[in-house]
Amino acid sequence: MMKSFIPVIVLGAVGCALSAYAYLSNDTGVAGTPGALLALIGAAAVTVGSVIAALTALGRPLFFLLAFLIALAAVLTALAAFFLMQYGLTVVMALAFVGLLVAVLLPAPQRRLI
Amino acid sequence: MTSALRPLIVAMCFAAPAGADQLRWDTFNGNLANTKFADVDTFTPANVAELERVWEVHTGDVSDGSGDLPETVWSATPIYANETLYLGTPFYRILALDPATGAERWSYDSKSALEALTQPALKNRGVAYWESGQTGPCEKRVYLGTMDAELHAVDADTGELCADFAQGGVLNVNQWNTVNDKFPFSLLQPPTVVGDTLMLGWAGNDWAYSVAPPGNLMAIDARTGTLNWDLSFIPDALIPVTGTANIWTSMSADPELGLVYVPVSSPSPNYWGGNRTDPIPLATSVTAVDVETGEVRWSQQIVRHDIWDYDTPSAATLVDIERDGQTIPALVQTTKMGFIFVLNRETGEPIFPIEDRPVPASDAEGEVAAPTQPFVLTPPPTNDPFKMPAVWWLADALSFGQCSREREQYRYEGIYTPPSVQGTFLFPGTAGANNWGGAAVDPRTGILYLNSMRVVQIIRLIPREEYEQIDGGSGNEAGFYPQEGAPYGIELREWRNDLGLPCWEPPYGTFSAYDLSTGERLYEVPFGLSQQWGFYGLSDWGSPTLGGPVVTAGGIVFIGASMDARVRALDAATGAELWSDLVEAPSVAIPAVYTHQGVDYVVFVAGGNSILKPQVSDQVVAYRLGQP
C-alpha cells in the first residue's frame, strides 16, 4: 500500500461527506441540484481513484494516467464547489490536489512501500 | 389645503404608524399609498449586519408538484395588525401567529379545492385586514380569497367565520361571473381595503381564450359582502369578442381624494389582437376610480392595443414630490416594460413627459398593431426600450454559435416589436422588467427604490392547424398557449441555448434608486445571484427578481426576490449589500417590517416561484437586531 495516498483518500472522503450534505440538506442553497450531485460524484471519484492508486501495483504509464485523472477530478470539483458556494468543499478538494502532487512527486522508493 | 400642510397629512394617512411606537404593516404593500416605507430607524447601515433570525415557521402548505397537488407559488406579504401576524397560504388557509415568537394563535381552513383552475400553480398573495373601530366579535376581520372564487371573512381574534358577511362568512364572487364565463374568478390577490370597502379584482387564464370574462373592479361592503358597484374595463360593444383587462394585482388608494388607483391588465387573448382592433382605452392602464361611486376620474393607458401581455403589474406608488418649489401629489407607476410613469394623482397629468413614438407594424393575419406607443424616458427606464441585450459570448461559444444564429433568425425592432410567425424577441419578457412587487419610496426624500429584471424571451405565433398538432403544455409564463378563437396559438420560451444557458449578456437583474424630484437615476447596481443547476453566477450578473423592496427610515432596504433564495439588507444610499441570509426558496414576496411590543422585526415569506426556478417552500422567517 502507498501510505502517501492516505491523506488524499481521507480528504476525498471528507469531500464526499461535505458534498453529500450539500446535496441533501435544505440549508445549503443547492440541495437536490445537478451541480451538487456533480460535486458529490467528483469527490467520490477522487476518493475511489486514490484508493485504487494506493492499493494497486500499476505500471508507470497507468499510474500517472490515474494520478492525472484524480487531479483533474479534484480541480473540477473544487471549481464546481466554488460556484456552488460550498467553500469548505473547495478547500478540501484543493488540499486533496496538493496532497496528490506530494504523493506522486515523492521519490519512488518511499512511494512503493509494499 | 396649503402645500406646506399636505406632505404632513399625506404622511399621516399613508405612512403613519397607528401608535407612537407601534408600526403596523396592515396591507399588502405596507400601507395604502404603496410606499413600502417603514418608519423605523432601528436598522441602520452600521448595525444591520447584526440581524438575527429569531423564529421561523413552516406552514406545511407546500407542494413541488410531484404528487397529486399542483406546485405552490407563495407570495404573501405578512400582515401585522391587531398585534398579530396574519398569513394566507397557497392551500388557502389563514394563520394567525404571535409576532414575537411565531407561535400559532389560530388557523382557519377555507377547505377550498386544491386545484389549479386558472393558473398553473396553487397561488396565494396573502390576506387583507379590516377593522370597524368598534369592539366585539368580527369588528376586526381577516379576508382570504381562493382559487375557486370564494372570499372568506373571519374574526381576526378567533378565526371564526363572520356570519354577517355574505352567506355565513363566505362570499361566492363567481355569482357575478356571468359574461363569457370560461373560467372562475380566482382570488389570489387579497382585496385592497379602503375605508369600509373591499376593492376586489381577480385572475384568470386570458392566454387560453380570445373571448373571456371582461375584467372588472368590484367594490364590496367589508361588513356585509354586498356589491356596492362594479366597473368593467372593456367597452360593451367589444364584450362579445374579447375579455379580461382584469385587475390581478394589488391597488393603492388616496382616501383624502377618495380615489383608488387601479392597475388594469391587457385584453384577451394576450398575444394577438385581431379580434379587438377597436380602441379599449382602459386596458393596460392605470386608472383612478372614485371609491364611492365607481366613476372613472382619469386614466392613463400605458400600452395601446397590448399584444405582449404587458399588464400593468403593480399598485401605483403614491408620494408627494417637490418640483420647482411646489409640492405635487404624484403617482408612480412601474411597468413590465421598464418605463416609470410619474403622474399627478389628482388629474392624471404627466409630471415627466410621455412621448408618442412610432413602433413596428405587425405582419400577423388580422392583426393591426398600434402605430405609436407611449414612451417615458425620464426617469430612465429600467430596461433599454430601443436595444435588447447583446449575445453573451460564453453561451454563444459553448453552443457553437447557436445564440448568434438565433439572434439573426428572430425579429426585433425595439420594445414593441409585434409577435410573429417568424418568432419575435420579447424584451422585457412577459414577466416584465418590473412585476407585482412594485417599488418602494421614502416619502421624506422622494427617492424611489426598484428591483428589475432583464430577461429575453422568444414568442412565436403558431398557425392554428399547426398548433393543434403540438403536444405541449402551458407553464408559468412559458410554454404553449392556445389562444382559442384566434388564428394562432403561441409558444413562449426564454432565449437559452441547448445547454440551458441564457443567450443574452448579463446583468439579469438590477436594483436602482431614482430621485423623483429630478427624474435622475441615482444608482443602478446588479442585484442578487442567478443560479443554474445549483451553480451561482457572478455577482456582476445579478438575478431576475420577483417580489418587492421595503425601505426603512434608518436607510436600509430589505428585499428577497432573487433567484438565489437569499434575503438581503441593502444600503439605501448606494445599493450595496450589507447583510444576507439563506432561506429555503426564493422569497418572491414583499417583506413586512413592524414594531411589536417595542421591538422592530422584519419578516420574509420564502415560497418560491417556478418563473425563477423550481424550488418551493413554506417557510416564514423573522429577524430582529440582537439583544443589546
Side-chain angles (χ1 to χ4, degrees):
Chain A
M1 179 183 182
M2 290 174 55
K3 288 187 176 174
S4 55
F5 270 85
I6 289 175
V8 186
I9 294 168
V10 170
L11 287 164
V14 172
C16 284
L18 289 175
S19 51
Y21 180 81
Y23 184 73
L24 296 172
S25 179
N26 266 347
D27 61 1
T28 62
V30 296
T33 62
L37 185 61
L38 195 65
L40 176 57
I41 292 169
V46 170
T47 311
V48 171
S50 305
V51 169
I52 293 171
L55 297 180
T56 312
L58 298 169
R60 252 178 105 76
L62 272 180
F63 174 79
F64 281 109
L65 176 63
L66 180 60
F68 171 75
L69 291 175
I70 297 168
L72 190 64
V75 168
L76 291 178
T77 305
L79 192 66
F82 178 79
F83 283 104
L84 292 167
M85 294 177 76
Q86 302 300 307
Y87 300 123
L89 180 58
T90 304
V91 170
V92 166
M93 285 295 105
L95 290 174
F97 176 74
V98 172
L100 183 71
L101 289 183
V102 171
V104 170
L105 298 177
L106 277 177
Q110 293 180 34
R111 278 198 280 120
R112 302 278 170 131
L113 295 176
I114 295 176
Chain B
M1 179 192 318
T2 67
S3 59
L5 277 177
R6 186 175 180 91
L8 181 62
I9 292 171
V10 167
M12 287 168 66
C13 286
F14 294 159
D21 38 40
Q22 196 73 2
L23 176 70
R24 288 164 60 136
W25 200 262
D26 57 4
T27 77
F28 182 75
N29 295 304
N31 51 49
L32 270 183
N34 180 26
T35 59
K36 303 189 191 77
F37 174 71
D39 193 10
V40 296
D41 56 10
T42 313
F43 310 111
T44 68
N47 67 18
V48 76
E50 297 162 21
L51 274 181
E52 293 176 358
R53 189 183 287 203
V54 287
W55 58 260
E56 69 175 278
V57 165
H58 288 271
T59 68
D61 293 359
V62 64
S63 165
D64 64 6
S66 61
D68 294 337
L69 295 177
E71 69 175 349
T72 47
V73 169
W74 192 28
S75 305
T77 304
I79 297 296
Y80 175 73
N82 192 32
E83 299 200 3
T84 304
L85 201 63
Y86 299 103
L87 289 156
T89 78
F91 285 4
Y92 306 107
R93 293 194 308 136
I94 306 173
L95 298 181
L97 306 180
D98 183 313
T101 66
E104 185 176 307
R105 290 181 174 165
W106 55 259
S107 68
Y108 169 79
D109 188 350
S110 70
K111 297 187 169 55
S112 173
L114 301 183
E115 298 173 25
L117 298 174
T118 61
Q119 306 286 309
L122 298 173
K123 292 185 181 180
N124 170 269
R125 293 203 193 97
V127 294
Y129 177 83
W130 169 80
E131 60 186 31
S132 69
Q134 300 170 22
T135 56
C138 282
E139 297 301 330
K140 298 172 180 175
R141 299 182 182 198
V142 180
Y143 301 90
L144 171 76
T146 66
M147 177 78 83
D148 54 2
E150 287 184 343
L151 186 65
H152 295 240
V154 303
D155 185 296
D157 289 324
T158 65
E160 298 294 321
L161 278 169
C162 294
D164 59 347
F165 182 80
Q167 289 78 45
V170 180
L171 176 62
N172 172 19
V173 176
N174 224 34
Q175 67 182 290
W176 298 306
N177 184 4
T178 56
V179 181
N180 306 338
D181 55 341
K182 296 278 177 54
F183 46 74
F185 288 174
S186 287
L187 306 179
L188 313 177
Q189 175 74 41
T192 300
V193 181
V194 187
D196 293 333
T197 304
L198 308 177
M199 295 294 170
L200 191 63
W202 46 264
N205 53 348
D206 45 348
W207 50 85
Y209 306 103
S210 296
V211 181
N216 63 344
L217 173 65
M218 291 171 276
I220 292 167
D221 186 288
R223 185 179 291 279
T224 65
T226 307
L227 181 66
N228 292 340
W229 52 258
D230 77 324
L231 170 67
S232 173
F233 299 96
I234 300 283
D236 289 346
L238 292 181
I239 283 177
V241 296
T242 183
T244 72
N246 55 315
I247 302 123
W248 54 262
T249 187
S250 66
M251 293 166 256
S252 50
D254 184 335
E256 192 186 350
L257 294 176
L259 295 179
V260 58
Y261 299 96
V262 185
V264 187
S265 74
S266 60
S268 60
N270 279 342
Y271 303 99
W272 179 83
N275 60 327
R276 48 179 172 88
T277 52
D278 289 340
I280 308 177
L282 297 182
T284 318
S285 73
V286 53
T287 295
V289 177
D290 188 297
V291 173
E292 290 299 318
T293 65
E295 176 195 351
V296 173
R297 289 281 190 85
W298 59 258
S299 180
Q300 172 66 51
Q301 191 161 46
I302 64 170
V303 182
R304 292 192 192 99
H305 188 68
D306 188 350
I307 46 176
W308 302 270
D309 195 22
Y310 282 156
D311 301 337
T312 311
S314 65
T317 299
L318 313 184
V319 61
D320 286 3
I321 59 176
E322 302 290 331
R323 270 177 71 79
D324 304 325
Q326 286 192 314
T327 301
I328 304 173
L331 169 154
V332 183
Q333 182 64 64
T334 56
T335 65
K336 283 190 174 183
M337 297 81 75
F339 295 127
I340 301 169
F341 286 74
V342 186
L343 312 174
N344 183 313
R345 69 173 178 270
E346 285 186 4
T347 64
E349 292 297 314
I351 294 171
F352 294 105
I354 300 174
E355 299 176 34
D356 256 1
R357 290 184 171 230
V359 291
S362 172
D363 55 9
E365 177 190 334
E367 183 60 276
V368 184
T372 63
Q373 291 286 357
F375 282 63
V376 179
L377 302 180
T378 305
T382 57
N383 290 33
D384 190 332
F386 306 111
K387 196 170 72 171
M388 62 182 275
V391 170
W392 187 29
W393 67 268
L394 182 59
D396 199 36
L398 291 174
S399 61
F400 303 103
Q402 178 190 355
C403 298
S404 294
R405 288 192 298 276
E406 289 187 355
R407 179 65 185 84
E408 298 302 314
Q409 181 181 347
Y410 299 119
R411 187 178 174 195
Y412 179 78
E413 295 155 49
I415 183 172
Y416 291 114
T417 308
S420 59
V421 174
Q422 168 193 351
T424 294
F425 285 112
L426 198 58
F427 178 71
T430 190
N434 315 119
N435 208 300
W436 49 262
V441 68
D442 186 335
R444 303 166 309 168
T445 60
I447 294 177
L448 185 88
Y449 302 92
L450 180 61
N451 54 296
S452 59
M453 53 182 155
R454 294 180 183 170
V455 173
V456 180
Q457 289 183 302
I458 297 167
I459 181 167
R460 190 166 66 89
L461 296 177
I462 304 172
R464 180 60 55 198
E465 278 189 15
E466 183 186 335
Y467 187 88
E468 300 302 335
Q469 308 304 316
I470 293 172
D471 182 21
S474 62
N476 206 358
E477 307 288 358
F480 291 92
Y481 299 84
Q483 301 197 132
E484 285 179 16
Y488 303 101
I490 65 134
E491 181 193 11
L492 185 65
R493 63 180 174 90
E494 279 191 9
W495 185 30
R496 291 174 179 268
N497 66 16
D498 288 340
L499 298 171
L501 291 173
C503 272
W504 68 100
E505 64 181 13
Y508 307 119
T510 60
F511 188 82
S512 307
Y514 293 87
D515 184 338
L516 292 174
S517 298
T518 61
E520 177 190 5
R521 181 160 49 206
L522 302 175
Y523 61 77
E524 180 184 50
V525 293
F527 172 73
L529 298 173
S530 51
Q531 205 174 10
Q532 175 82 349
W533 308 310
F535 298 117
Y536 292 95
L538 302 179
S539 58
D540 287 352
W541 297 356
S543 163
T545 54
L546 281 175
V550 165
V551 63
T552 72
I556 296 295
V557 171
F558 289 111
I559 182 169
S562 59
M563 205 178 189
D564 58 358
R566 263 106 179 142
V567 295
R568 291 179 164 85
L570 311 180
D571 185 341
T574 63
E577 182 179 316
L578 301 174
W579 167 88
S580 73
D581 192 31
L582 180 67
V583 291
E584 292 183 1
S587 178
V588 289
I590 297 165
V593 178
Y594 58 86
T595 308
H596 179 69
Q597 295 176 347
V599 180
D600 295 327
Y601 296 86
V602 55
V603 177
F604 293 88
V605 159
N609 187 319
S610 58
I611 292 177
L612 292 182
K613 66 173 175 177
Q615 184 181 20
V616 294
S617 177
D618 59 349
Q619 187 187 30
V620 190
V621 194
Y623 302 89
R624 59 171 284 188
L625 289 174
Q627 303 282 2

